[in-house]
């Protein structure tokens, strides 16, 4: 009898756990941007075109209508574009069409098909399981195509293609994580799908704990779900991965251009103290001729881990210290954790309690958790007044002389790894639980910091570094990949994590060079420094009590190599800064997987080449990630490629083996590449460019007319927001060939900023034919002119000109058919 009762109970429980699917459609209402279909059970599905290429799908249950998430999205005034739609309704479906995308909603099953302008189905719901609900859980299932690939979701380990995996989005503090660890610190519910080389994107606009299944355990579907909240998502048309990423940034915003110094080398450890050690560190960088812009202060600068305080013994005169270091080009960035020590008489705690700024339980009791200060309160950054309050204290610290802020422990992390789910946040008056607000916590903290700095320093670009984040974090902060390990596997994992973050909308990202936990071998540290030197965010960091990880900590030979690559980063600042500008305009990542630029090359998706990356569109980097490896197998996609180390040229679409001495980083310029470099300095904003070097390599195959290539050099004051008002300079260098005449031209496209004049050094690589005639700024000269030279053995033509701002054009004739003389 007892067994029968137990069986009945289990059957009832199982039945109650079944998904409830939407009923057939009973009516359709046209709207200005699409349509709303109503089902027999009262569920509604809205199709809303944001642009011709982006459509929003929202399901609402009549018993559970709730506001849609706005935190990650730009305002409607910035999102919505004019779009012309047509619609029709047949006996079986409703069709809404833009000129780029068609959405078809089936009457019986509510399943939706998304069709591009070429008549190909980008994406289709599972016909029998389109949309389902199980209690508060919401879920949708999509048909899984053979060979379909999936990329994105923010900080996720494993290969870049997530096919065959189920992944969880819930920001988590996991020190010493593994490649298989999931979830990690940053959750971005956006992914790119690729079917038959045609890309689409999905952004699931829900901050609750969610799951994405990309064919894990079955071959029928991909799906995404959330434990609570609305079923609200955007479908983004391609057909290229590049277009999907750009359009996603139209939804969630683009990187705000950081101060130029934030692109410099940055040194950190847990912790540099007292002040004399910080001064010694700074002095050593300058004495050893190793460029550095930033020194970080970890938790030991604080008085008992109380935020916005200084330990009076370790740092008795912080403003004097900050002022002195700033004079030598060092910017100090302190750590700021959200946990506020729960202590009577501590100003921040007293103000927070009086102003109702802390997270509370449903009975209005203030939540007390434990982190570094011991018992702690946690600010509710979802409340506008709390963001203003926090931002005021951030600005006060900036006035003392710190230059940026490092937001850590903001998942939010706490001892026990279990922030109470029942706690309540203001959420702009919605009074939402931690279930919704957890993944948004770091985003709101970064927003509070950013807005506080802007309020008191309106003419200065803020710099914020964050460990955790959600979609939209790129508007406020740079990111790093958290507490990694000093291992070869983690060096490789870090590359893939950075590439995944870039595909997910966060371009300003880096890893802890050398590994946060553990001690790398000298050789591994050097290889990591080579990767870090080209990372968007470049910082070395290490654990409390660990061995030193400064650039000089591994012997003189390795110090020299570290110096070489840090200096190389500073040489490349004109190129890096121009890439940051491009990202701020287009949303494109700075680091890109090979397949981002070569989408139709199946070799670019191979696991073996997921540690290679593109820096911009024309620089391929294949770092060595294993100790004892002094040759490197590299895959070169289509085109011609110049080996930066040997200057040898390779044909593309082949695997090659190249030398990779310990002081070499395998790097290749794609034909058509134009690379900008500058003279060396000790910090990024030390002085204006004195000599601009322009490296030019070859020309791409002509697609229409004569072959040509170009690159934009972006310049502004490097610190203010004046560029938003047109105070910047965009200079295009344009290289072309026409019937044996090669031309390099400089064209100023925007002239709102005038940099100091500087020398120009132009190097044209792989210039295979001897010049017959040369014109400089339309004046004919010869090779006897000291300003030009040609080396036939190295196949290199060079120009040295005293005034880059005065340079207009260089023309080199290598073939003289019958044609009219130049005027």
């Amino acid at each position: 009898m007892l067994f029968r009762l137990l069986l009945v109970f289990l059957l009832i429980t199982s039945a109650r756990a079944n998904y409830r699917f939407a009923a057939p459609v009973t009516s359709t209402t046209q709207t200005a941007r699409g349509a709303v279909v109503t089902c027999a059970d009262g569920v509604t599905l809205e199709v809303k075109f944001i642009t011709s290429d982006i459509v929003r799908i929202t399901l609402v249950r009549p018993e559970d209508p709730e506001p849609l998430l706005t935190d990650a999205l730009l305002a409607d005034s910035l999102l919505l574009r004019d779009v012309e739609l047509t619609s029709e309704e047949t006996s079986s479906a409703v069709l809404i069409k833009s000129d780029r995308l068609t959405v078809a909603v089936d009457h019986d099953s509510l399943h939706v098909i998304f069709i591009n302008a070429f008549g190909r189905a980008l994406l289709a719901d599972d016909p029998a399981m389109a949309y389902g609900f199980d209690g508060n859980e919401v879920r949708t299932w999509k048909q899984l195509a053979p060979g379909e690939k999936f990329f994105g979701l923010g900080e996720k380990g494993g290969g870049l293609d997530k096919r065959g995996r189920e992944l969880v989005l819930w920001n988590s503090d996991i020190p010493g994580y593994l490649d298989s660890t999931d979830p990690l610190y940053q959750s971005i519910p956006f992914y790119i799908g690729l079917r038959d080389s045609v890309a689409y994107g999905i952004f699931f606009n829900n901050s609750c704990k969610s799951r994405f299944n990309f064919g894990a355990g079955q071959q029928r579907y991909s799906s995404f779900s959330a434990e609570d909240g609305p079923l609200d998502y955007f479908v983004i048309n391609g057909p290229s991965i590049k277009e999907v990423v750009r359009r996603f940034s139209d939804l969630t915003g683009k990187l705000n251009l950081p101060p130029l110094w934030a692109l410099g080398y940055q040194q950190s450890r847990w912790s540099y103290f007292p002040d004399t050690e910080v001064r010694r560190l700074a002095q050593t960088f300058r004495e050893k001729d190793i460029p550095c812009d930033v020194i970080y202060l970890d938790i030991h600068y604080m008085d008992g881990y109380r935020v916005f305080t200084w330990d009076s013994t370790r740092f008795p005169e912080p403003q004097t210290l900050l002022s002195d270091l700033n004079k030598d080009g060092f910017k100090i960035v302190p750590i700021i954790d959200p946990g506020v020590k729960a202590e009577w008489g501590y100003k921040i705690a007293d103000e927070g309690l009086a102003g109702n700024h802390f997270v509370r339980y449903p009975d209005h009791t203030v939540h007390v958790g434990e982190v570094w200060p011991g018992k702690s309160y946690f600010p509710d950054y979802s409340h506008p007044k709390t963001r203003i309050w926090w931002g005021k204290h951030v600005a006060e610290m900036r006035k003392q002389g710190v230059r940026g802020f490092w937001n850590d422990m903001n998942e939010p992390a706490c001892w026990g790894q279990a922030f109470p789910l029942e706690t309540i946040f203001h959420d702009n008056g919605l009074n939402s639980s931690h279930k919704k607000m957890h993944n948004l916590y770091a985003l709101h903290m970064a927003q509070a910091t950013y807005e506080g700095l802007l309020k008191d320093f309106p003419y200065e670009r803020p710099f914020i570094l964050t460990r955790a984040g959600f979609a939209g974090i790129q508007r406020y902060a740079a990111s790093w990949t958290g507490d990694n390990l000093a291992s070869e596997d983690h060096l490789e994992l870090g590359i893939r994590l950075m590439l995944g973050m870039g595909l997910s909308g966060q371009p300003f990202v880096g890893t802890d060079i050398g590994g946060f936990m553990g001690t790398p071998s000298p050789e591994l540290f050097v290889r990591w420094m080579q990767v870090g030197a080209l990372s968007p965010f470049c910082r070395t960091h290490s654990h409390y009590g660990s061995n030193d990880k400064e650039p000089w900590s591994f012997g003189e030979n390795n110090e020299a190599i570290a110096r070489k690559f840090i200096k190389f980063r500073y040489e490349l600042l004109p190129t890096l800064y121009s890439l940051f500008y491009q990202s701020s305009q287009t949303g494109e990542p700075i680091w890109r997987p090979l397949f981002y630029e070569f989408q139709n090359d199946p070799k670019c998706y191979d696991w073996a080449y997921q540690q290679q990356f593109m820096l911009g569109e024309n620089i391929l980097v294949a770092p060595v990630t294993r100790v004892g490896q002094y040759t490197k197998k590299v895959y070169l996609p289509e085109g011609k490629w110049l080996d930066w180390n040997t200057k040898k040229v390779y044909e593309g679409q082949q695997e090659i083996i190249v030398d990779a001495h310990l002081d070499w980083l395998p790097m290749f310029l794609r034909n058509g590449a134009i690379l900008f470099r500058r003279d060396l300095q000790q910090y990024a904003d030390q002085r204006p460019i004195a000599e601009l070097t322009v490296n030019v390599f070859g020309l791409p195959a002509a697609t229409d007319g004569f072959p040509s290539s170009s690159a934009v050099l972006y310049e502004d004051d490097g610190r203010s927001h004046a560029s938003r008002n047109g105070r910047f300079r965009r200079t295009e260098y344009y290289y072309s060939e026409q019937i044996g005449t090669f031309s390099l031209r400089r064209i100023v496209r925007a002239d709102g900023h005038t940099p100091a004049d500087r020398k120009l050094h132009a190097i044209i690589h792989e210039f295979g034919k001897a010049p017959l005639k040369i014109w400089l700024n339309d004046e004919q000269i010869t090779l006897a002119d000291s300003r030009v030279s040609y080396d036939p053995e190295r196949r290199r033509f060079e120009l040295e000109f005293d005034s880059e701002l005065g340079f207009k054009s260089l023309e080199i004739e290598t073939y003289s058919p019958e044609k009219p003389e130049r005027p």
Side-chain angles (χ1 to χ4, degrees), residues 591-637:
W591 269 27
R592 306 163 184 184
L594 297 188
F595 57 76
Y596 187 90
E597 295 293 340
F598 303 95
Q599 184 169 315
N600 295 322
D601 185 342
K603 200 79 173 176
C604 290
Y605 299 89
D606 283 4
W607 169 263
Y609 303 113
Q610 291 189 15
Q611 282 71 238
Q612 291 185 196
F613 58 88
M614 300 295 295
L615 179 63
E617 61 182 350
N618 286 322
I619 304 171
L620 185 151
V621 184
V624 175
T625 57
R626 295 283 158 176
V627 171
Q629 184 179 56
Y630 306 114
T631 60
K632 179 69 176 179
K633 184 178 181 181
V634 179
Y635 177 68
L636 300 175

Coordinates of all heavy atoms in Angstrom, one line a residue, residues 591-637:
W591 N 40.5 41.9 -30.4 CA 41.0 40.6 -30.7 C 39.8 39.8 -31.4 O 38.7 39.9 -30.9 CB 41.4 39.8 -29.4 CG 42.8 40.0 -29.0 CD1 43.6 41.0 -29.2 CD2 43.5 39.0 -28.2 NE1 44.8 40.7 -28.7 CE2 44.8 39.5 -28.0 CE3 43.1 37.8 -27.6 CZ2 45.7 38.8 -27.2 CZ3 44.1 37.1 -26.8 CH2 45.4 37.6 -26.7
R592 N 40.2 39.0 -32.4 CA 39.2 38.3 -33.2 C 39.6 36.9 -33.5 O 40.8 36.7 -33.9 CB 38.9 39.1 -34.5 CG 38.5 40.5 -34.3 CD 38.6 41.4 -35.5 NE 38.4 42.8 -35.2 CZ 38.3 43.7 -36.1 NH1 38.6 43.5 -37.4 NH2 38.1 45.0 -35.8
P593 N 38.8 35.9 -33.4 CA 39.1 34.6 -33.8 C 39.4 34.6 -35.3 O 38.9 35.5 -36.1 CB 37.9 33.7 -33.5 CG 37.0 34.6 -32.7 CD 37.4 36.0 -32.9
L594 N 40.1 33.7 -35.9 CA 40.4 33.7 -37.3 C 39.1 33.6 -38.1 O 39.0 34.3 -39.1 CB 41.2 32.4 -37.7 CG 42.7 32.3 -37.1 CD1 43.4 31.1 -37.7 CD2 43.4 33.6 -37.2
F595 N 38.1 32.9 -37.6 CA 36.9 32.8 -38.4 C 36.1 34.1 -38.4 O 35.2 34.2 -39.2 CB 36.0 31.6 -37.9 CG 35.6 31.7 -36.5 CD1 34.6 32.5 -36.0 CD2 36.2 30.8 -35.5 CE1 34.3 32.5 -34.7 CE2 35.8 30.8 -34.2 CZ 34.9 31.7 -33.8
Y596 N 36.4 35.0 -37.6 CA 35.7 36.3 -37.6 C 36.0 37.0 -38.9 O 35.2 37.7 -39.5 CB 36.1 37.2 -36.5 CG 35.4 38.5 -36.3 CD1 34.2 38.5 -35.5 CD2 35.8 39.7 -36.9 CE1 33.5 39.7 -35.4 CE2 35.2 40.8 -36.7 CZ 34.0 40.9 -36.0 OH 33.3 42.1 -35.8
E597 N 37.3 36.9 -39.4 CA 37.7 37.5 -40.6 C 37.6 36.6 -41.8 O 37.5 37.0 -43.0 CB 39.1 38.1 -40.5 CG 39.3 39.2 -39.5 CD 38.6 40.5 -39.9 OE1 38.3 40.6 -41.1 OE2 38.3 41.3 -39.0
F598 N 37.6 35.3 -41.6 CA 37.6 34.3 -42.6 C 36.5 33.3 -42.4 O 36.8 32.1 -42.1 CB 39.0 33.6 -42.7 CG 40.1 34.6 -42.9 CD1 40.8 35.1 -41.8 CD2 40.5 35.1 -44.2 CE1 41.9 36.0 -42.0 CE2 41.5 36.0 -44.4 CZ 42.2 36.5 -43.3
Q599 N 35.3 33.7 -42.4 CA 34.1 32.9 -42.0 C 33.9 31.7 -42.8 O 33.4 30.7 -42.3 CB 32.9 33.8 -42.1 CG 31.6 33.2 -41.6 CD 30.5 34.2 -41.4 OE1 30.7 35.3 -40.9 NE2 29.3 33.8 -41.9
N600 N 34.3 31.7 -44.1 CA 34.1 30.6 -45.0 C 35.2 29.6 -45.1 O 35.2 28.7 -45.9 CB 33.7 31.1 -46.4 CG 32.4 31.9 -46.4 OD1 31.5 31.5 -45.7 ND2 32.4 33.0 -47.2
D601 N 36.2 29.8 -44.3 CA 37.4 28.9 -44.3 C 37.2 27.9 -43.1 O 37.4 28.2 -41.9 CB 38.7 29.7 -44.1 CG 39.9 28.8 -44.2 OD1 39.8 27.6 -44.1 OD2 41.0 29.4 -44.4
P602 N 36.9 26.6 -43.4 CA 36.6 25.7 -42.3 C 37.8 25.4 -41.4 O 37.7 25.1 -40.2 CB 36.2 24.4 -43.1 CG 36.7 24.6 -44.5 CD 36.7 26.0 -44.7
K603 N 39.0 25.6 -41.9 CA 40.2 25.4 -41.1 C 40.3 26.4 -40.0 O 40.9 26.1 -38.9 CB 41.5 25.6 -42.0 CG 42.7 24.9 -41.5 CD 42.7 23.4 -41.7 CE 44.0 22.8 -41.3 NZ 43.9 21.3 -41.4
C604 N 39.7 27.6 -40.1 CA 39.8 28.6 -39.1 C 39.0 28.2 -37.8 O 39.1 28.9 -36.8 CB 39.3 29.9 -39.6 SG 40.4 30.6 -40.9
Y605 N 38.2 27.2 -37.9 CA 37.4 26.8 -36.8 C 38.0 25.6 -36.0 O 37.6 25.2 -34.9 CB 36.0 26.3 -37.2 CG 35.2 27.4 -37.9 CD1 35.3 27.6 -39.2 CD2 34.3 28.2 -37.1 CE1 34.5 28.6 -39.9 CE2 33.6 29.2 -37.7 CZ 33.7 29.4 -39.1 OH 33.0 30.4 -39.7
D606 N 39.2 25.1 -36.5 CA 39.8 24.0 -35.9 C 40.3 24.3 -34.5 O 40.8 25.4 -34.3 CB 41.0 23.5 -36.8 CG 40.6 22.7 -38.0 OD1 39.4 22.6 -38.2 OD2 41.5 22.3 -38.7
W607 N 40.2 23.3 -33.6 CA 40.7 23.5 -32.3 C 42.2 23.9 -32.2 O 42.6 24.8 -31.4 CB 40.5 22.2 -31.5 CG 41.2 22.2 -30.2 CD1 42.4 21.7 -29.9 CD2 40.7 22.8 -28.9 NE1 42.7 21.9 -28.6 CE2 41.7 22.6 -28.0 CE3 39.6 23.5 -28.6 CZ2 41.6 23.0 -26.7 CZ3 39.5 24.0 -27.3 CH2 40.5 23.7 -26.3
A608 N 42.9 23.4 -33.1 CA 44.4 23.6 -33.1 C 44.7 25.1 -33.3 O 45.8 25.5 -32.9 CB 45.1 22.8 -34.2
Y609 N 43.8 25.9 -33.9 CA 44.1 27.3 -34.2 C 43.2 28.2 -33.4 O 43.1 29.4 -33.8 CB 44.0 27.5 -35.7 CG 44.9 26.5 -36.5 CD1 44.4 25.5 -37.3 CD2 46.3 26.6 -36.3 CE1 45.2 24.6 -37.9 CE2 47.1 25.7 -36.9 CZ 46.6 24.7 -37.7 OH 47.5 23.8 -38.3
Q610 N 42.6 27.8 -32.4 CA 41.8 28.7 -31.5 C 42.6 29.5 -30.5 O 42.1 30.3 -29.8 CB 40.7 27.9 -30.8 CG 39.6 27.4 -31.7 CD 38.4 26.8 -31.0 OE1 38.2 27.0 -29.9 NE2 37.6 26.1 -31.8
Q611 N 44.0 29.2 -30.5 CA 44.9 30.0 -29.7 C 45.6 31.1 -30.6 O 46.4 31.9 -30.2 CB 45.9 29.2 -29.0 CG 45.4 28.6 -27.7 CD 44.4 27.4 -28.0 OE1 43.2 27.5 -27.5 NE2 44.8 26.4 -28.7
Q612 N 45.3 31.0 -32.0 CA 45.7 32.1 -32.8 C 44.6 33.1 -32.8 O 43.5 32.9 -32.5 CB 45.9 31.6 -34.3 CG 47.0 30.7 -34.5 CD 47.2 30.3 -36.0 OE1 47.9 29.4 -36.3 NE2 46.6 31.1 -36.9
F613 N 45.0 34.4 -33.1 CA 44.0 35.4 -33.2 C 44.4 36.5 -34.1 O 45.6 36.6 -34.5 CB 43.7 36.0 -31.8 CG 44.9 36.6 -31.1 CD1 45.3 37.9 -31.3 CD2 45.7 35.8 -30.3 CE1 46.4 38.5 -30.7 CE2 46.9 36.3 -29.6 CZ 47.2 37.7 -29.9
M614 N 43.4 37.3 -34.5 CA 43.6 38.5 -35.3 C 43.6 39.7 -34.4 O 42.7 39.8 -33.6 CB 42.5 38.6 -36.4 CG 42.4 37.4 -37.4 SD 43.9 37.2 -38.4 CE 43.9 38.7 -39.4
L615 N 44.6 40.6 -34.6 CA 44.6 41.9 -33.9 C 44.1 42.8 -35.0 O 44.8 43.2 -35.9 CB 46.0 42.2 -33.4 CG 46.1 43.6 -32.7 CD1 45.3 43.7 -31.5 CD2 47.6 43.8 -32.4
G616 N 42.8 43.2 -34.9 CA 42.2 43.9 -36.0 C 42.0 43.0 -37.2 O 41.9 41.8 -37.0
E617 N 41.9 43.5 -38.4 CA 41.6 42.7 -39.5 C 42.8 42.2 -40.3 O 42.7 41.3 -41.1 CB 40.6 43.4 -40.5 CG 41.2 44.7 -41.1 CD 40.2 45.3 -42.0 OE1 39.1 44.7 -42.3 OE2 40.4 46.5 -42.4
N618 N 44.0 42.7 -40.0 CA 45.2 42.4 -40.9 C 46.4 41.9 -40.1 O 47.4 41.7 -40.8 CB 45.5 43.7 -41.7 CG 44.5 44.0 -42.8 OD1 44.1 43.0 -43.4 ND2 44.3 45.2 -43.0
I619 N 46.3 41.7 -38.8 CA 47.5 41.2 -38.1 C 47.1 39.9 -37.5 O 46.2 39.8 -36.7 CB 47.9 42.2 -37.0 CG1 48.2 43.6 -37.6 CG2 49.1 41.7 -36.2 CD1 48.4 44.7 -36.5
L620 N 47.8 38.8 -37.8 CA 47.6 37.5 -37.3 C 48.7 37.2 -36.3 O 49.9 37.3 -36.6 CB 47.5 36.5 -38.4 CG 47.2 35.0 -38.1 CD1 46.5 34.3 -39.3 CD2 48.4 34.2 -37.6
V621 N 48.3 36.7 -35.1 CA 49.3 36.4 -34.1 C 49.1 34.9 -33.7 O 48.0 34.5 -33.5 CB 49.1 37.3 -32.8 CG1 50.1 37.0 -31.8 CG2 49.1 38.8 -33.2
A622 N 50.2 34.2 -33.6 CA 50.2 32.8 -33.3 C 51.1 32.5 -32.1 O 52.2 32.0 -32.3 CB 50.5 31.9 -34.5
P623 N 50.7 32.9 -30.9 CA 51.7 32.8 -29.8 C 52.0 31.4 -29.4 O 51.3 30.5 -29.6 CB 50.9 33.5 -28.6 CG 49.4 33.3 -29.0 CD 49.4 33.4 -30.5
V624 N 53.2 31.3 -28.9 CA 53.7 30.0 -28.3 C 53.2 29.9 -26.9 O 53.3 30.8 -26.1 CB 55.2 29.9 -28.3 CG1 55.7 28.7 -27.6 CG2 55.8 30.0 -29.7
T625 N 52.5 28.8 -26.6 CA 51.9 28.6 -25.3 C 52.4 27.5 -24.5 O 51.9 27.2 -23.4 CB 50.4 28.4 -25.5 OG1 50.2 27.3 -26.3 CG2 49.7 29.7 -26.1
R626 N 53.4 26.8 -25.0 CA 54.0 25.7 -24.3 C 55.5 25.9 -24.1 O 56.2 26.3 -25.0 CB 53.8 24.4 -25.1 CG 52.3 24.0 -25.3 CD 51.8 23.4 -24.1 NE 50.3 23.5 -24.0 CZ 49.6 22.9 -23.0 NH1 50.2 22.2 -22.1 NH2 48.3 23.1 -23.0
V627 N 55.9 25.5 -22.9 CA 57.3 25.6 -22.5 C 58.1 24.6 -23.3 O 57.7 23.5 -23.5 CB 57.5 25.4 -21.0 CG1 59.0 25.3 -20.6 CG2 56.9 26.6 -20.2
G628 N 59.3 25.0 -23.8 CA 60.2 24.1 -24.5 C 59.8 24.1 -26.0 O 60.4 23.3 -26.8
Q629 N 58.9 24.9 -26.5 CA 58.4 24.9 -27.9 C 59.1 26.1 -28.6 O 58.8 27.2 -28.2 CB 56.9 25.0 -27.9 CG 56.4 24.9 -29.4 CD 54.8 25.0 -29.4 OE1 54.3 26.0 -28.9 NE2 54.2 24.0 -29.9
Y630 N 60.0 25.8 -29.5 CA 60.7 26.8 -30.2 C 60.5 26.9 -31.7 O 61.1 27.6 -32.5 CB 62.2 26.7 -29.9 CG 62.5 26.7 -28.4 CD1 63.0 25.5 -27.8 CD2 62.1 27.8 -27.6 CE1 63.2 25.5 -26.4 CE2 62.3 27.7 -26.2 CZ 62.8 26.6 -25.7 OH 63.0 26.5 -24.3
T631 N 59.5 26.1 -32.2 CA 58.9 26.2 -33.5 C 57.4 26.3 -33.3 O 56.9 25.8 -32.3 CB 59.3 25.1 -34.4 OG1 58.8 23.8 -33.9 CG2 60.8 25.0 -34.7
K632 N 56.7 26.8 -34.3 CA 55.3 27.0 -34.1 C 54.6 26.6 -35.4 O 55.0 27.1 -36.5 CB 54.9 28.4 -33.8 CG 53.5 28.7 -33.6 CD 52.9 28.0 -32.4 CE 51.4 28.4 -32.2 NZ 50.8 27.8 -31.0
K633 N 53.6 25.7 -35.3 CA 52.7 25.4 -36.4 C 51.7 26.5 -36.5 O 50.9 26.7 -35.6 CB 52.1 24.0 -36.3 CG 51.3 23.5 -37.5 CD 50.8 22.1 -37.2 CE 50.0 21.6 -38.4 NZ 49.4 20.3 -38.2
V634 N 51.5 27.1 -37.7 CA 50.6 28.2 -37.9 C 49.8 27.9 -39.1 O 50.2 27.4 -40.1 CB 51.4 29.5 -38.1 CG1 50.5 30.7 -38.3 CG2 52.4 29.8 -37.0
Y635 N 48.5 28.3 -39.0 CA 47.6 28.3 -40.2 C 47.4 29.7 -40.7 O 47.0 30.6 -39.9 CB 46.3 27.6 -39.9 CG 45.4 27.7 -41.1 CD1 45.7 26.9 -42.2 CD2 44.3 28.5 -41.2 CE1 44.9 26.9 -43.4 CE2 43.5 28.6 -42.3 CZ 43.8 27.8 -43.4 OH 43.0 27.8 -44.5
L636 N 47.7 29.9 -42.0 CA 47.5 31.2 -42.6 C 46.3 31.1 -43.6 O 46.3 30.3 -44.5 CB 48.8 31.6 -43.4 CG 50.0 31.7 -42.6 CD1 51.2 32.0 -43.5 CD2 49.9 32.8 -41.5
P637 N 45.3 31.8 -43.3 CA 44.1 31.8 -44.3 C 44.5 32.4 -45.6 O 45.7 32.8 -45.9 CB 43.1 32.7 -43.5 CG 43.5 32.7 -42.1 CD 45.0 32.7 -42.2

